[in-house]
Amino acid sequence: MSEHKRKRGRKPKIPDAEKTLDLPSIAASADDDDVVFSVSNVEIIPTTTNPSISSAAATTTNNHHPDHRPRRGRPRKHPKHETPEEKPPPLPRAGHCRPAENGGADFAGDVEPGVARVVPAMDAVVKVFCVHTEPNFSLPWQRKRQYSSSSSGFAIGGRRVLTNAHSVEHYTQVKLKKRGSDTKYLATVLAIGTECDIAMLTVEDDEFWEGVLPVEFGELPALQDAVTVVGYPIGGDTISVTSGVVSRIEILSYVHGSTELLGLQIDAAINSGNSGGPAFNDKGKCVGIAFQSLKHEDVENIGYVIPTPVIMHFIQDYEKNGAYTGFPLLGVEWQKMENPDLRVAMSMKADQKGVRIRRVDPTAPESEVLKPSDIILSFDGIDIANDGTVPFRHGERIGFSYLVSQKYTGDSAAVKVLRDSKILNFNITLATHRRLIPSHNKGRPPSYYIIAGFVFSTVSVPYLRSEYGKDYEYEAPVKLLDKLLYSMPQLPDEQLVVVSQVLVADINIGYEEIVNTQVLAFNGNPVKNLKSLANMVENCDDEFLKFDLEYDQVVVLRTKTSKAATLDILATHCIPSAMSDDLKN
């Protein structure tokens, strides 16, 4: 009883681990394995303290001291430092940051006491606001409802701003806001690099550029080099800083551009809204642009950064040509030569290494000199290994496509091949690669042509995504997927033309179920693209319109009644024109 009397009136001690912040939907049970944000993961940095919080924390600590007795009156003075001016500033501690006088952050992790890292140019990081209006590929005469998004960007020399291409895809309006500003400035899109997922913007208003120092680019980092990603991700409105290290450097698959280019893998968190933000090294120089992350239940903290070689290629391409021309590709498909029997059968000597050409793109410049079963021994004087890699840096190898991506459209390259036991040397001209089913329409609206309710369109990856959803690789017809993955165009302007749908009318009775079926020929003439089909139909004087479709299907319509019925169908469905504007010219 005496012990209970001595504890009467005292509040029970609350462990620090149970203290929660007053933030909605952040605190979670520690037993949940899928928790991303939790209070236990939040660390309060001692060097960035708020005076009111500091005194409250000190009071709480003193109340729990076993020998503490409450005192009345003024608090006890500490005789060690009588005035604030005499108190020396605390030294930076490794892994912490303290506020800098210029409004940035002074990083001091893994450095000697008293020596701070270079402050990144965080004032050059901007927030990008974009209004998108995507085309409706299933109804190509319409556009979808507009929507807004926000991402990150940063200023570079020449009054320009870099961000991601997917951040301004199908843009209607783009605005930028500087750090600490309440004004949004209208921006102009100068170039969009779909393959490398980079876009270049500018702002005409001089006020925007006042006090903005452009970032400086650094060299390609090494493994385990520290990186700091700066941007405006979800979870707040102010600038955010995350740090990590470079985990991997290799040829990556760029999701937006459906290409493979050099990329960095880092373990810093990259969330929605970080897209387009810079990644700084410990010297305060930009070494990349955050652009995508890996989301999977078995992984965590895997983000990807566009490195400086790709960024500089984009910038120099724009400065050289006045527009973005793209990354050239070697228009061949190749096979590894790791099997010793295969090398012997191809007449390769013991000291020869390379890759075998499987197919050559008929529309590529390489088709004039390279042939299937040629062995590519070297590219621009650099030997290619049997697995298709070349020396990269000390102790590292990388796919030889990296050498091709360093070139510009129209550049020449020296290629050494082995053909029929003879070594041949060629100088080839590099160009961008065109697919039969393109991955992007590059901002252009989709093409269409309508006759007698038959809607003809061209197949692209956005079209497949519109028709079959995000899982189009599993839901789309097998023949379309086969052409997407393996078919090469035989002509420079070849397109895959399909009957997208049939707008029901009396004239097309019996054809209503034809959907996404390829058109092979019209009145006996092969269809190479949508424009040629529209011209043949519009200029047809025959009695019947005969369309040869895939799976041996045939559609036959009377010419005169078809053209007359088209006008009624257009009026019924409120379609402005029977063909898209690009087919009229």
Side-chain angles (χ1 to χ4, degrees), residues 43 75 105-106 112 133-134 153 180 253 319 392 402 444 482 501 504 530:
E43 296 183 359
D106 202 359
E112 296 296 330
T133 308
E134 294 184 4
S253 176
E319 294 175 347
F392 182 49
Y402 168 73
R444 296 187 297 267
D482 180 73
Q501 61 176 311
V504 177
L530 184 57

Side-chain angles (χ1 to χ4, degrees), residues 49 148 183 298 428 485 517 541:
T49 56
S148 301
T183 305
D298 295 333
I428 60 175
L485 297 175
T517 305
D541 296 328

Side-chain angles (χ1 to χ4, degrees), residues 21-96:
L21 301 179
D22 189 15
L23 295 176
S25 303
I26 292 182
S29 172
D31 297 331
D32 191 353
D33 294 334
D34 296 330
V35 172
V36 177
F37 299 103
S38 65
V39 176
S40 60
N41 294 332
V42 178
E43 296 183 359
I44 300 177
I45 306 301
T47 55
T48 56
T49 56
N50 186 312
S52 60
I53 298 178
S54 299
S55 13
T59 304
T60 305
T61 305
N62 292 335
N63 285 341
H64 294 317
H65 197 280
D67 298 331
H68 172 73
R69 296 294 183 269
R71 297 176 66 254
R72 295 182 181 179
R74 299 174 63 183
R76 182 180 302 170
K77 293 184 179 180
H78 298 278
K80 185 175 182 179
H81 301 289
E82 296 181 357
T83 61
E85 290 77 6
E86 298 177 2
K87 183 178 181 179
L91 294 177
R93 297 171 57 187
H96 295 75

Side-chain angles (χ1 to χ4, degrees), residues 223-243:
L223 295 177
Q224 296 186 342
D225 278 3
V227 290
T228 302
V229 179
V230 183
Y232 293 87
I234 58 173
D237 295 328
T238 58
I239 199 167
S240 171
V241 179
T242 57
S243 60

Side-chain angles (χ1 to χ4, degrees), residues 269-316:
I270 296 181
N271 299 306
S272 178
N274 267 125
S275 297
F280 295 102
N281 60 14
D282 54 3
K283 297 180 181 179
K285 295 187 177 182
C286 177
V287 294
I289 304 175
F291 76 115
Q292 65 187 31
S293 59
L294 180 60
K295 302 296 183 184
H296 193 272
E297 59 182 5
D298 295 333
V299 300
E300 59 182 23
N301 284 352
I302 293 183
Y304 297 100
V305 171
I306 305 172
T308 46
V310 178
I311 301 173
M312 297 310 298
H313 188 287
F314 171 81
I315 296 175
Q316 294 171 6

Side-chain angles (χ1 to χ4, degrees), residues 325-343:
T325 61
F327 286 75
L329 294 174
L330 199 60
V332 299
E333 293 181 356
W334 52 270
Q335 174 187 359
K336 295 180 180 180
M337 297 292 293
E338 295 177 314
N339 186 274
D341 296 335
L342 178 61
R343 294 197 297 269

